[in-house]
């Protein structure tokens, strides 16, 4: 039983559209990570009013954290943070940035927070770290992690 002449173009369109959607989502996620990197870069290269503000240091000793392990929910963007440690770190960064943006009214912080929430597909992540760092150092480490994730995403 062969394919009819009318069915071949339909199947071709379905295959082409599906491929475009998958690649489009990945491109959209990469642009989210790129925006996080650019926002963090702009904030770390200049002093601003809140740059010396103290925030929780979620980047230190994440392997021995006593909180439960967080797993990415199924979304196209959460798959970019492939390792559980990267995902947990980004998820906790959302919480820290939410707290920081409440104290520091910078649009870049709110934008980064929104992009991170889109990336990890979660809004609440437990943070029980006791170490403190300056916001500028926090943003620098966050930029480094996102650069690593971005470079991995371009390999696919």
């Amino acid at each position: 039983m062969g394919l009819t002449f009318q069915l071949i173009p339909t199947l071709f369109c379905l295959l082409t559209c599906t491929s475009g959607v998958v690649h489009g989502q990945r491109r959209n996620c990469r642009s989210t990570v790129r925006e996080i990197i650019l926002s963090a870069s702009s904030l770390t290269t200049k002093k601003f009013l809140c740059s010396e503000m103290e925030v929780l240091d979620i980047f230190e000793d994440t392997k021995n954290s006593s909180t439960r392990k967080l797993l990415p929910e199924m979304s196209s963007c959460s798959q970019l943070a492939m390792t559980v440690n990267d995902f947990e770190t980004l998820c906790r960064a959302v919480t820290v940035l939410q707290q920081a943006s409440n104290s520091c009214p910078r649009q870049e912080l709110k934008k980064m927070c929104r992009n991170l929430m889109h990336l990890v597909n979660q809004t609440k992540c437990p943070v029980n770290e006791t170490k403190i760092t300056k916001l500028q150092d926090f943003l620098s480490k966050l930029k480094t992690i996102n650069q690593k994730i971005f470079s991995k995403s371009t390999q696919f």
Side-chain angles (χ1 to χ4, degrees):
M1 184 152 112
L3 293 175
T4 64
F5 181 70
Q6 295 91 358
L7 190 57
I8 292 172
T10 304
L11 290 174
F12 179 75
C13 286
L14 285 174
L15 287 172
T16 305
C17 292
T18 305
S19 173
V21 168
V22 170
H23 290 299
Q25 287 176 341
R26 187 175 295 145
R27 237 181 268 127
N28 184 29
C29 297
R30 282 195 300 240
S31 67
T32 301
V33 174
R34 188 178 346 189
E35 282 185 36
I36 294 168
I37 294 167
L38 291 174
S39 296
S41 291
S42 80
L43 287 172
T44 55
T45 56
K46 60 185 175 191
K47 289 283 186 185
F48 60 98
L49 184 62
C50 307
S51 64
E52 298 296 314
M53 181 173 81
E54 292 184 341
V55 295
L56 294 172
D57 191 0
I58 57 157
F59 301 107
E60 294 297 320
D61 202 27
T62 55
K63 293 177 183 82
N64 297 326
S65 180
S66 61
T67 58
R68 65 180 173 83
K69 292 290 182 195
L70 300 169
L71 297 174
E73 291 182 9
M74 290 310 292
S75 79
S76 59
C77 288
S78 63
Q79 299 307 312
L80 285 179
M82 289 177 264
T83 68
V84 173
N85 282 340
D86 282 348
F87 178 78
E88 286 182 9
T89 301
L90 292 178
C91 196
R92 289 187 180 110
V94 170
T95 303
V96 172
L97 280 176
Q98 284 174 332
Q99 294 168 353
S101 65
N102 287 338
S103 302
C104 182
R106 296 286 302 207
Q107 281 304 110
E108 294 98 332
L109 291 176
K110 293 179 193 287
K111 185 178 179 181
M112 286 175 61
C113 188
R114 186 179 60 245
N115 283 327
L116 278 172
M117 279 194 271
H118 175 70
L119 191 62
V120 297
N121 199 26
Q122 291 186 357
T123 55
K124 291 192 175 194
C125 299
V127 177
N128 65 351
E129 307 295 327
T130 57
K131 295 181 181 181
I132 302 291
T133 189
K134 297 198 182 316
L135 180 59
Q136 195 150 15
D137 296 334
F138 174 87
L139 293 172
S140 178
K141 291 175 185 175
L142 183 62
K143 179 178 84 170
T144 303
I145 287 175
N146 278 281
Q147 285 172 329
K148 180 179 78 170
I149 291 170
F150 185 78
S151 69
K152 284 182 183 177
S153 74
T154 58
Q155 295 172 359
F156 293 111

